[in-house]
Amino acid sequence: IMAWIMDTYSMTVGYSVPGVVTGKPVELGGSQGREEATGRGVAIVAREAMKLMGKPLQGARVVIQGSGNVGSNAARILRQMGARIVGISDSSGGVYHPEGVDPAEVEAFRAAGGRYADYPHDHDHRVITNAELLELPCDILVPAAIEHQITEKTAARIRAPLIVEGANGPTTPEADAILKEKGILVVPDILANAGGVTVSYFEWVQGLEHYFWDFSEVVAKLERVMKQAFDEVAALSKREGVTMRDAALMLGVQRVVEAFKLRGVYP
């Protein structure tokens, strides 16, 4: 559908305009690394948040709710970074192993038509519900499924000191207040899952220039953008004594205000 939109627009103006739409196949002017970009962004900010807390990512226990594009890629990349994925789920339930599961192995089971609720379990692997998954002892919890999974009821039972929101709106306002009281650091969705839209911007830039980057260059640029965004939000959070969610919103509003001041409103 994206290629069809690009072709329709290009025929209207009389020349190829690859930057008019993003999310295209690489062969038609899409960007390398776009498919995994949101999950990679989640992994990057999880690593930076652990640094902020003075903890290593190497060996850290990670629980991921959701095995779609975001959750599966975040699991794979965090494992490459040295973390242990101890729990992961799909809509049917989750798989837990205190020493870590192999994301590629469980994903292959799911790709073959299996559900995590039916994953072969033994004395090591345990099958659990999505509610139980949120309560697992871990260092990083990544809700990467659907909205409103961490609620007033579930927040009190969360044992992770760090939550990185891969999904949009996984935490309710009531839950946010409880997590703050418990001293749990929450990296909000508008920061944590911004990797996808960032690489869509990269695709637009490449389309405008008709010059396309290789995978390593996309990854390096995404690293730089996500790390800078995290550092800015973390600094504002510390300076103003607010949560990272509030700091991210404050920073966004501030930039809109500055743009209006500098450029004015037309007409």
Side-chain angles (χ1 to χ4, degrees), residues 227-250:
K227 186 179 184 306
Q228 180 179 340
F230 180 88
D231 289 345
E232 289 176 349
V233 172
L236 183 59
S237 172
K238 182 179 181 180
R239 186 168 67 247
E240 299 297 332
V242 298
T243 65
M244 288 198 74
R245 190 183 309 282
D246 287 342
L249 293 170
M250 290 165 64

Side-chain angles (χ1 to χ4, degrees), residues 187-259:
V187 183
D189 49 3
I190 57 173
L191 170 59
N193 68 22
V197 72
T198 300
V199 176
S200 281
Y201 166 71
F202 291 169
E203 181 180 339
W204 177 69
V205 171
Q206 293 169 81
L208 289 179
E209 297 177 343
H210 291 266
Y211 179 77
F212 296 89
W213 314 330
D214 62 24
F215 178 76
S216 62
E217 187 171 1
V218 172
V219 170
K221 290 180 186 297
L222 178 61
E223 276 266 357
R224 186 164 59 249
V225 170
M226 294 299 297
K227 186 179 184 306
Q228 180 179 340
F230 180 88
D231 289 345
E232 289 176 349
V233 172
L236 183 59
S237 172
K238 182 179 181 180
R239 186 168 67 247
E240 299 297 332
V242 298
T243 65
M244 288 198 74
R245 190 183 309 282
D246 287 342
L249 293 170
M250 290 165 64
L251 194 59
V253 170
Q254 175 186 324
R255 286 176 174 171
V256 171
V257 170
E258 288 173 352

Side-chain angles (χ1 to χ4, degrees), residues 11-85:
M11 287 188 292
T12 301
V13 298
Y15 53 89
S16 179
V17 189
V20 73
V21 65
T22 62
K24 305 182 297 297
V26 172
E27 296 81 4
L28 296 177
S31 177
Q32 296 278 354
R34 175 61 187 89
E35 183 178 351
E36 66 167 41
T38 307
R40 182 172 292 279
V42 167
I44 291 168
V45 298
R47 182 196 64 206
E48 296 306 309
M50 289 292 280
K51 286 182 186 177
L52 183 68
M53 299 170 71
K55 300 178 181 180
L57 183 63
Q58 185 72 35
R61 299 166 300 167
V62 181
V63 168
I64 299 178
Q65 184 193 50
S67 294
N69 177 275
V70 179
S72 61
N73 280 300
R76 176 177 58 82
I77 294 165
L78 279 166
R79 190 168 190 258
Q80 290 173 355
M81 290 179 174
R84 284 184 293 154
I85 312 302

Side-chain angles (χ1 to χ4, degrees), residues 132-214:
E132 291 172 323
L133 183 106
L134 294 175
E135 301 171 19
L136 290 174
C138 62
D139 301 299
I140 306 171
L141 173 62
V142 180
I146 57 176
E147 64 181 9
H148 297 169
Q149 293 301 291
I150 301 177
T151 65
E152 188 175 9
K153 293 181 179 179
T154 59
R157 297 193 293 271
I158 286 176
R159 290 189 272 178
L162 169 63
I163 296 174
V164 180
E165 295 184 335
N168 292 322
T171 308
T172 67
E174 295 80 11
D176 249 340
I178 294 171
L179 297 173
K180 179 181 178 181
E181 187 176 334
K182 292 181 66 175
I184 295 174
L185 177 63
V186 179
V187 183
D189 49 3
I190 57 173
L191 170 59
N193 68 22
V197 72
T198 300
V199 176
S200 281
Y201 166 71
F202 291 169
E203 181 180 339
W204 177 69
V205 171
Q206 293 169 81
L208 289 179
E209 297 177 343
H210 291 266
Y211 179 77
F212 296 89
W213 314 330
D214 62 24

